[in-house]
Amino acid sequence: MSDTPFGFGLPPEEPDDGDEGKKKDPAGGGQGSGGPSPANPFGFGSGDGADNPFAAMFGSLNPNDLGAAFQQLGQMLSYEGGPVNWDMAKQIARQTVSQGTPDGTKDVSVGPADRTAVEEAVRLADLWLDGATSLPSGANTAVAWSRAEWVEATLPAWQQLVDPVAERVGLAMGDVLPEEMQAMAGPLIGMMRSMGGAMFGQQIGQAVGVLAGEVVGSTDIGLPLGPAGKAALLPLNIDTFGKDLGVSKEEVRLYLALREAAHQRLFAHVPWLRSHLFGAVEAYARGIRVDTTKLEDVVGQFDPTHPEQLQEALQQGMFQPEDTPEQKASLARLETALALVEGWVDAVVHEAASSRLTSADALRETLRRRRASGGPAEQTFATLIGLQLRPRRLRDASRLWASLTDARGVDGRDALWQHPDMLPTASDLDDPDGFVHHEQLDFSELDKMLGEAAGGSRPSLDKDADKDRGQGGGKDPGKDSGADDEGDEGDENR
């Protein structure tokens, strides 16, 4: 009997059948009609395996990879966690990072020189930002990450973003079967959900791994992906980003440090902002419906030995936003929130850098275009979760923040972050001057209400008394009502 009874690896020098000591062809060319040779009885790696059920089941696997394939299949079927197998996502992301980027750049550990350079850049950036915003520094530490470290640090945030959508897919997998069949098909549904979680994990891991080769910090997409109070830059990706810009490496690093530090200030000192943004993503996810027709096709033809069917369905995208007023409002809130964050950072950084860095304008435009176009990883996330995390109106928001700075100063502009209801809306981005005028009256009304609440008194119904308390630089109320009408009309037109 052979030492390799299942035919994996090379055959023995002296076959037991006494075939004159001759080696058989390891490529599986013997045995007449093209079937598998004794050295490869299951046909792995030997053609399409049309007449071999094992080859048809496992495809053209290299025998050396078979153990890994069985291990991966076992992980898929044994997973019992949430809607996404995040252990698998982390593993795939790390593998993707280790393979390097398409330009051939491989991930490397960050050396002491790069760590020192990042710390000094963030320290100087915070010093410059002190004169451009009333929000104090939000970074307790400055760190330089490798791509692999970025993956490790940001996965918790991705989990919060992706789980709501993936959960809807898991529920939909059971809903596509008739109710009377669901009880009978319980084990199959459970297996499909386990494999769906694994497939989501694979796809998210792949996307995170690719994105790790593109990002330059922890806030590139406008969301706080890293730990609070930790300003992070990726030296390797910064070098790649600035390679063809004709700008010194130090200047590129410092400009990106300004953006990272500005984001950190905003998220550290606007305590409701993180939950507001992630809540907007979750609200949008609740309005996404799964394309049940496509899912029914996948379920109807599902073969447990071909899990790539689910993977292909995920890659093609199964999500369509509901065309309802609620869903449109959720999307508008999310896009406006992202635009306001990115627009504020853009305006503040420009104010801090324009008089100090000779290439500030060029770097600003490069980053604006980069955010507007997105990369392959962003497109993957758009396919997977039906959402593009992109500030479509970044330029409009930046102009509005600049107008507010001119009209009300740095303190007045930054005071808008005290509460989400005080922020501009999508219609306000169309009419920055109207928003500045209207918001001044809102502040006086808010001060009046807060004062009455602190004094424990009921709001007065005396309009003259309210008018007296509401004075303080406000304009003609009639003009405000016109501004409101224009804003409403703008919403209807869009």
Side-chain angles (χ1 to χ4, degrees):
M1 182 175 178
S2 168
D3 292 335
T4 55
F6 293 105
F8 305 131
L10 293 174
E13 289 288 339
E14 297 288 340
D16 290 341
D17 59 6
D19 188 16
E20 298 180 2
K22 294 180 181 180
K23 295 182 184 179
K24 289 188 171 56
D25 180 8
Q31 301 296 314
S33 61
S37 71
N40 197 357
F42 296 145
F44 299 124
S46 58
D48 59 7
D51 57 349
N52 189 314
F54 293 99
M57 180 179 295
F58 294 104
S60 300
L61 284 178
N62 186 316
N64 295 328
D65 296 333
L66 188 61
F70 275 125
Q71 182 180 11
Q72 188 178 38
L73 183 60
Q75 290 175 348
M76 292 181 182
L77 297 177
S78 62
Y79 176 67
E80 297 180 351
V84 178
N85 187 333
W86 287 102
D87 290 336
M88 180 168 288
K90 178 179 176 180
Q91 176 185 348
I92 297 297
R94 294 293 299 263
Q95 290 175 355
T96 303
V97 165
S98 67
Q99 293 170 1
T101 50
D103 64 359
T105 305
K106 297 282 188 178
D107 193 25
V108 294
S109 298
V110 180
D114 280 330
R115 294 189 186 278
T116 300
V118 167
E119 291 172 359
E120 291 178 350
V122 172
R123 188 180 302 114
L124 182 57
D126 259 335
L127 181 63
W128 289 3
L129 288 172
D130 284 339
T133 175
S134 62
L135 300 179
S137 175
N140 301 322
T141 57
V143 295
W145 283 342
S146 66
R147 293 167 179 171
E149 289 173 321
W150 183 90
V151 168
E152 295 279 352
T154 62
L155 272 181
W158 290 120
Q159 182 172 357
Q160 189 174 353
L161 285 169
V162 175
D163 271 351
V165 180
E167 186 173 3
R168 292 182 61 82
V169 177
L171 294 174
M173 285 183 174
D175 294 340
V176 297
L177 292 177
E179 185 175 352
E180 61 273 12
M181 293 181 58
Q182 291 186 15
M184 299 175 57
L188 176 61
I189 294 175
M191 181 175 66
M192 288 181 59
R193 287 179 177 172
S194 295
M195 299 190 72
M199 292 304 172
F200 251 112
Q202 285 186 328
Q203 295 301 302
I204 295 297
Q206 176 74 17
V208 170
V210 173
L211 193 59
E214 301 173 358
V215 296
V216 294
S218 70
T219 55
D220 280 31
I221 65 169
L223 296 173
L225 298 179
K230 186 172 289 188
L233 295 176
L234 283 71
L236 177 60
N237 291 357
I238 291 176
D239 291 345
T240 303
F241 170 78
K243 183 171 58 176
D244 299 323
L245 296 180
V247 180
S248 70
K249 178 179 177 179
E250 292 73 20
E251 195 161 333
V252 172
R253 184 196 300 119
L254 183 51
Y255 191 87
L256 296 175
L258 281 165
R259 290 182 53 83
E260 178 74 10
H263 277 103
Q264 293 296 333
R265 289 185 181 227
L266 194 58
F267 290 118
H269 299 291
V270 182
W272 54 265
L273 183 56
R274 177 186 173 92
S275 60
H276 178 74
L277 288 169
F278 281 81
V281 174
E282 187 172 353
Y284 180 80
R286 286 196 299 267
I288 292 176
R289 67 179 177 88
V290 178
D291 187 343
T292 55
T293 302
K294 183 178 295 185
L295 189 57
E296 285 173 0
D297 292 341
V298 175
V299 172
Q301 303 173 14
F302 177 69
D303 182 352
T305 63
H306 290 80
E308 68 275 5
Q309 292 173 352
L310 287 177
Q311 184 172 354
E312 291 173 357
L314 289 174
Q315 289 174 335
Q316 295 170 4
M318 293 188 294
F319 314 112
Q320 296 178 1
E322 292 279 11
D323 190 19
T324 64
E326 294 79 11
Q327 182 68 349
K328 290 178 180 179
S330 296
L331 181 59
R333 283 194 297 270
L334 176 58
E335 290 183 342
T336 301
L338 287 172
L340 290 175
V341 169
E342 291 290 280
W344 184 87
V345 169
D346 181 78
V348 168
V349 169
H350 181 70
E351 185 176 346
S354 58
S355 62
R356 296 181 173 99
L357 297 178
T358 57
S359 301
D361 290 339
L363 290 170
R364 182 190 200 188
E365 185 61 27
T366 298
L367 284 163
R368 281 180 166 185
R369 292 180 179 179
R370 188 173 189 253
R371 285 295 285 124
S373 61
E378 282 196 45
Q379 294 297 329
T380 301
F381 280 114
T383 301
L384 286 173
I385 67 176
L387 177 66
Q388 291 183 337
L389 298 172
R390 194 173 302 164
R392 300 180 187 276
R393 306 195 64 182
L394 186 155
R395 295 177 188 269
D396 294 335
S398 183
R399 282 193 292 268
L400 184 143
W401 290 118
S403 297
L404 283 167
T405 306
D406 294 339
R408 305 185 56 186
V410 169
D411 291 344
R413 176 200 66 198
D414 294 345
L416 291 175
W417 291 106
Q418 291 176 6
H419 192 276
D421 290 344
M422 297 164 64
L423 288 177
T425 64
S427 61
D428 295 322
L429 296 180
D430 298 325
D431 182 19
D433 293 335
F435 173 78
V436 173
H437 167 69
H438 175 68
E439 193 65 20
Q440 285 178 331
L441 282 183
D442 275 358
F443 275 115
S444 64
E445 288 296 311
L446 181 62
D447 290 341
K448 179 192 69 174
M449 294 173 63
L450 291 176
E452 290 173 346
S457 61
R458 293 170 59 86
S460 171
L461 298 178
D462 185 340
K463 295 182 180 180
D464 292 335
D466 286 349
K467 181 178 179 181
D468 292 338
R469 281 192 297 268
Q471 296 296 324
K475 302 292 180 77
D476 182 0
K479 293 183 181 178
D480 279 341
S481 111
D484 288 343
D485 292 341
E486 289 176 9
D488 295 340
E489 182 179 355
D491 286 339
E492 292 174 2
N493 289 339
R494 277 195 309 281

